[in-house]
Structure formats: C-alpha cells, structure tokens
Amino acid sequence: MLTTSAYAEVVNNHFNIFNILNKLKILTIIFLLTALAVLATHSLDSINQDIGRHLKTGEIIWQTKSIPQTNLFSYTEPDRPFINHHWLSEVVFYLVDRLAGLKALIILKVITLTAVFALVAAAVYRRTKTWALFPALLLGWLVFFDRSDVRPEIFSYLFLAFFLFAIFRAKYSSKFKYLYILPLIEIFWVNSHIYFIIGPALLFFLLLDQKVRRVEPPVFKKTLQIFLLTGLATLLNPNFIKGALAPLTILKNYGYTIVENQSIFFLTDYGILGRQIALFEISLVILIISFIVAFSQKRPVIFEFLAALFFTVLAIKMIRNFGLYGLAFGPLIALNFSTLKLPTWLRTKPAKVGIYLSGLALIWILIVSAVNNNFYQWYQSGKRFGLTIPAGAARGVEFIKANKIQGPVFNNFDVGSFLIWKLYPEQKVFVDGRPEAYSTDFFEKIYKPMQTDPAVWGKYSREYGINYVFFDHYDITPWARTFLARISQDPNWSKIYLDDSAVVFIKRTPGNKNLINRFEINTSH
C-alpha cells in the first residue's frame, strides 16, 4: 500500500510526464508552422504577372480616393466596365511596397499564411490528436503550396481560416462569440477577393448541420441571424449587388483560357502540374477514408461533409482552388481520424513521446530541405527559398524608357500587368491578365487572330497604329509561338531587344530608323 508521500510522488511524476507530452504537442505544432513559414518564404516569381497591376491600381486608388470602374489601363477597350473585387488588397500591397519594398510583400505573405494555418490548427487543436493533426496539416500545405505566391487571395485564406475557426469553436465548444465577428470580417472579405462568397456558404452549411443535430432553437436563431447579416455584408462593396454577384457571373464572359482556371482532368491530359495533381489525388483518397471512419463512428459531421464536398468540387473544377481545398483539408480529416482508437502500445507515454520526437525530426528535415531548395525541386516548382525579386521584364522596359520608344504597343497577355506597372499612364497596354476586363470578341476576333493570321495582324496593327511589340517570349500558347516565329521573319518589323524574359520588335518607319540602325538584332543567326 502506497504511503501518502509515495502516492504524491506518483501523481507528480504522472503530471510531469503529462506536462512534457503537452509541451511536445505544442512544440510540434509550432515547429510545423515554422516549417510552413519557411516553405512560404520563396522568390516572387510572379513578378511578370498580376502583382505589378495590383500595385499600380492600389496607387491610383490611394491617390485618387476612388476605385476605377472601367478598364482604364488598355487602349483597346478603355471604356469597358470592370468590377474590381480585390481593390482593398491592392491598396494594402501598394502601401506595404511603398513603405518597405517588394521584399516586404513576401514577408507579409509569409506572416499571413502562417497565421492562416495557425488559425485552422487552433480551431480543432483540443478536439484532435497530434498524430492526426500534424500529418493532416502538412499534407494540406503540400496541396496548398502552389497558391503561396503574393496574391490578393492570401487575404481570402486568412478570412476563410477565421470562419472555420469560429464555426468549429461554435460547434464543438459552444463558444459563439467568434461567430458574431463574421459579418464584420465579410465586409473586409468582399472588398479584398472574390472568394468572399465562401463565407455565407459555410454558415449555410452550419445551419444545415444544426438542423440535423436539432440544436436548441435560440442557438439556431442566432446562427441564422449571423448568416443573414453576413449575406447582407456582401452588398457593402463599390458595386453593390453586381459586386455581390460577381463570383457567380465573372466566368460568363471569360474569353481567354488560363491554366489556373482549368480542371485537373484537362491538365492531366496535357501533362501539366503532374506532381501537384498527384498530391491532390492522394489527399482526396485520404479525405474519403476519413469520412468513412467518421460515419462508422456515427459522428455528426454534416458541416464537415458539406464543406469537404464543396471544396473538393471547387478544386476538381479549377486548380486555382487547390488553396481552398488544402486549407480546409487539414482540420477536416484531423477531426475525422481523431475518433480512431490507436493500439494500446501506441497510447503509452514512451510511444507518444516517440511520435512527437519523430514529428519534430521530420519537420526539421523539411526545413533544411526548403532552405537548400531541395523541396522546391522535388515539388517541380520554379520557386526558390529567400526574398529574391526577379528582374522579370524590367530590363526590357528600361530599354523602352531609355530610348523613349512610344506606343501603341502590342503585348501578350502575360506581360501586360508588368507593363501597366512600369509604363502607365504614359503608355497603355494592348491587353493584360484580366480576361474579365475584356470582351470575348476581343480575344476571339482580335487578340488571338492577330497572332495566327497575317491578314488580321495587318488590319489591326494599322488600325491601332501599333509602333512596337513587347512579348514575354516564354508565352507557351500556340498563337504566341506562331506569332513570334512569323514576326521574326517579317521585313516590316525589326527585332531590337532580346533578353531571357522579353523580346521587342519595332515597326520599320522613318521615325524608327535611328533605333533600328543602333539596335537591330540579325534574325538570320
């Protein structure tokens, strides 16, 4: 029989072990978040794409205190109405860049994405086992990773994470105070990124969940009120109802095909993004198994199932939605698998300590791999660890400025946003990376045919008075390949600039004779 002192020693030893395990669990999650932050710290490889236009738009909004309602950057369709559904993100990007430079945008993104995964971990931390939560968050991040660039959607991820945090706290801890904040969050969301429609959708799933679980009427009524207020909050944007409906209408007049809007089936057929799609498919199998486990345990997972189905369908339809799916994946499957009872030997204190330490070792390997850029190579990504800002098309633009080459310019879709950033308002672009800002006819009858049909090129190049061509020569579209091959041999145009990002052709006119004499590149070699 234990004496009082002996019993006290056993109790103290037990709590010491418990405290060690609890600290290891917290340490494992913190270490995982550190690893995710390291992985998110990579070069701004999208420099030639949308970020430049976001910065220029943010500058215009900040200086004019108004939000442009038309396609003001292009000379081809300048009066076309345009709904800017991420203007607030652009203002934030502009101010950060103005205060601290482009590298600060990478740091802002890293902090935001780390907060995102910290929120979803906190949402289910007390309801999940570490052995389930740790790999779930890690696999979710691997699926998510391709969307970890500096984009307005990083704020969507932050708001989505808070919605999940609030909903899970309300469902599992009966803490409704976070739900009351959601209508306010939605006001910021609707002005930051087009994913804002997800907020009301998740609350609707929660209402269905509560109906099935037959929660008390006052609780259901509170949730219904929050849902209605959140829905009304979507109207608080510069375009009111049109802005609120933008997620449902934006693709109806999308005249240009971009990779991130394609389905996994389309990209698989073309052999594009194989590693990312494979990770998604693996995660989808695990997600399905997790719900089989949850249903076998007769868990009330209506919200979880609807959310999983919603994000899965979005990810299958468009790979740009991998970020949403990867974010929601972690907490959902961690909740489902945490109901499993592990074998007795795995529930012992030494086994748990071993699991935690193994997790820490794995995360350390991941951090070292990221710092040495091995992770990015394995993921088949052009990203590199660090705060590198590639030059992109900057040298080509400097050539245009230094030699005072005047437009109009004919540019390709991908590089338009960079030209807006560096040349507007002195020069406007032919097109930029916003299909919704241009008509379908513009792409189908003008932009693409100009690159494939010499007669159409001749007609519109004269009509628009095009003086020079500025192309990102890594444009892999068949029409761009055809155009570059043809114009390189066109005697009416001279190649005067070429680097590893851009190529410039100028029209042979008396006014351009001096430039051609100085810079013409012999295309016969």
Side-chain angles (χ1 to χ4, degrees):
M1 186 172 180
L2 291 175
T3 63
T4 302
S5 59
Y7 178 76
E9 183 178 352
V10 170
V11 170
N12 286 335
N13 289 337
H14 171 77
F15 279 102
N16 285 336
I17 293 173
F18 175 80
N19 288 334
I20 291 172
L21 288 174
N22 193 47
K23 288 178 181 178
L24 276 174
K25 182 178 181 181
I26 295 172
L27 182 61
T28 304
I29 298 300
I30 292 174
F31 217 36
L32 176 61
L33 293 175
T34 302
L36 302 188
V38 170
L39 292 175
T41 307
H42 55 71
S43 53
L44 189 61
D45 286 338
S46 58
I47 193 71
N48 265 12
Q49 298 172 6
D50 293 339
I51 187 64
R53 189 190 68 251
H54 292 321
L55 292 172
K56 178 58 68 174
T57 306
E59 177 185 0
I60 291 170
I61 295 171
W62 182 255
Q63 291 179 349
T64 66
K65 303 300 184 288
S66 64
I67 301 166
Q69 298 293 313
T70 59
N71 183 10
L72 76 164
F73 296 128
S74 170
Y75 67 83
T76 53
E77 293 195 320
D79 299 320
R80 182 172 174 78
F82 172 68
I83 295 176
N84 187 340
H85 47 74
H86 44 237
W87 68 269
L88 186 56
S89 299
E90 293 173 327
V91 171
V92 172
F93 286 167
Y94 165 69
L95 292 176
V96 170
D97 176 50
R98 180 182 175 185
L99 292 172
L102 290 174
K103 291 184 179 182
L105 287 177
I106 299 178
I107 295 171
L108 170 68
K109 178 255 301 187
V110 171
I111 293 171
T112 302
L113 295 185
T114 304
V116 164
F117 278 83
L119 271 173
V120 295
V124 295
Y125 177 79
R126 297 186 183 279
R127 298 285 304 186
T128 57
K129 303 293 193 299
T130 304
W131 66 263
L133 182 59
F134 161 66
L137 289 176
L138 181 56
L139 182 54
W141 172 262
L142 293 178
V143 176
F144 176 96
F145 175 74
D146 196 53
R147 306 303 299 179
S148 62
D149 287 316
V150 179
R151 310 168 185 257
E153 67 192 61
I154 64 172
F155 298 110
S156 269
Y157 300 138
L158 182 62
F159 300 140
L160 169 58
F162 190 86
F163 264 74
L164 291 173
F165 174 82
I167 288 171
F168 283 133
R169 283 300 181 95
K171 178 173 179 177
Y172 291 110
S173 302
S174 298
K175 294 182 179 179
F176 287 87
K177 60 183 179 180
Y178 301 108
L179 285 182
Y180 297 128
I181 306 174
L182 298 186
L184 179 61
I185 296 293
E186 188 68 18
I187 295 174
F188 288 97
W189 198 349
V190 73
N191 292 290
S192 299
H193 190 253
I194 200 167
Y195 280 156
F196 66 84
I197 196 172
I198 294 171
L202 291 179
L203 286 172
F204 179 69
F205 298 157
L206 179 61
L207 285 170
L208 294 178
D209 180 277
Q210 291 179 342
K211 199 71 175 176
V212 172
R213 290 189 292 117
R214 298 180 181 179
V215 299
E216 297 177 359
V219 172
F220 183 83
K221 185 178 179 180
K222 286 180 182 178
T223 306
L224 179 60
Q225 290 172 342
I226 293 168
F227 166 71
L228 294 174
L229 287 173
T230 303
L232 289 173
T234 64
L235 299 173
L236 301 180
N237 69 85
N239 297 283
F240 195 52
I241 293 177
K242 285 185 177 181
L245 295 178
L248 305 177
T249 61
I250 189 171
L251 294 178
K252 289 182 179 180
N253 185 43
Y254 226 66
Y256 196 80
T257 301
I258 55 179
V259 171
E260 64 183 15
N261 283 354
Q262 301 309 304
S263 71
I264 62 171
F265 307 111
F266 176 89
L267 296 175
T268 299
D269 289 342
Y270 281 86
I272 301 174
L273 302 178
R275 183 65 55 83
Q276 295 91 315
I277 292 174
L279 285 169
F280 169 72
E281 291 171 342
I282 292 169
S283 72
L284 186 55
V285 171
I286 296 172
L287 182 66
I288 293 170
I289 293 172
S290 79
F291 276 99
I292 293 174
V293 170
F295 289 135
S296 69
Q297 301 287 329
K298 297 181 179 180
R299 288 187 61 238
V301 291
I302 302 303
F303 170 81
E304 291 83 350
F305 178 75
L306 291 174
L309 182 62
F310 179 65
F311 290 121
T312 299
V313 170
L314 288 179
I316 290 174
K317 287 177 68 67
M318 291 186 186
I319 63 157
R320 72 179 303 155
N321 298 324
F322 273 16
L324 299 172
Y325 170 89
L327 172 56
F329 174 85
L332 290 175
I333 74 161
L335 284 168
N336 290 342
F337 279 128
S338 290
T339 60
L340 285 175
K341 291 185 177 180
L342 295 176
T344 303
W345 66 273
L346 280 176
R347 284 182 276 160
T348 62
K349 299 299 187 297
K352 287 184 177 181
V353 171
I355 290 171
Y356 293 148
L357 293 179
S358 298
L360 293 174
L362 177 60
I363 298 168
W364 177 251
I365 292 171
L366 187 62
I367 292 174
V368 172
S369 176
V371 171
N372 291 319
N373 290 311
N374 296 324
F375 168 80
Y376 305 98
Q377 294 171 14
W378 170 82
Y379 196 83
Q380 299 174 340
S381 168
K383 300 175 175 64
R384 290 292 181 268
F385 174 76
L387 303 177
T388 305
I389 309 295
R395 286 172 292 171
V397 172
E398 287 306 313
F399 175 82
I400 298 297
K401 288 182 175 181
N403 293 285
K404 300 179 181 178
I405 300 174
Q406 299 300 311
V409 58
F410 180 72
N411 62 277
N412 64 316
F413 179 88
D414 290 335
V415 82
S417 293
F418 191 94
L419 298 182
I420 288 171
W421 181 26
K422 297 299 183 179
L423 295 178
Y424 184 86
E426 288 78 16
Q427 294 191 41
K428 293 188 176 184
V429 298
F430 190 88
V431 68
D432 67 271
R434 300 169 297 163
E436 68 273 23
Y438 299 83
S439 65
T440 301
D441 281 349
F442 169 78
F443 287 110
E444 295 299 326
K445 297 180 180 180
I446 299 177
Y447 175 67
K448 287 189 280 187
M450 284 180 71
Q451 298 174 69
T452 57
D453 188 333
V456 177
W457 166 253
K459 174 187 175 181
Y460 284 110
S461 64
R462 288 191 300 270
E463 184 176 312
Y464 288 120
I466 293 170
N467 186 49
Y468 73 98
V469 173
F470 193 109
F471 252 58
D472 171 358
H473 57 73
Y474 286 104
D475 189 331
I476 62 172
T477 58
W479 44 88
R481 299 290 90 192
T482 300
F483 175 73
L484 289 175
R486 190 186 77 245
I487 198 171
S488 294
Q489 304 302 320
D490 191 332
N492 297 312
W493 294 84
S494 170
K495 184 191 294 184
I496 59 172
Y497 181 83
L498 176 68
D499 64 20
D500 58 0
S501 179
V503 60
V504 176
F505 297 87
I506 196 164
K507 191 173 183 178
R508 292 188 185 275
T509 65
N512 292 330
K513 185 176 180 180
N514 184 48
L515 282 170
I516 294 171
N517 289 338
R518 292 170 60 197
F519 299 111
E520 184 169 29
I521 299 171
N522 192 336
T523 58
S524 63
H525 290 83

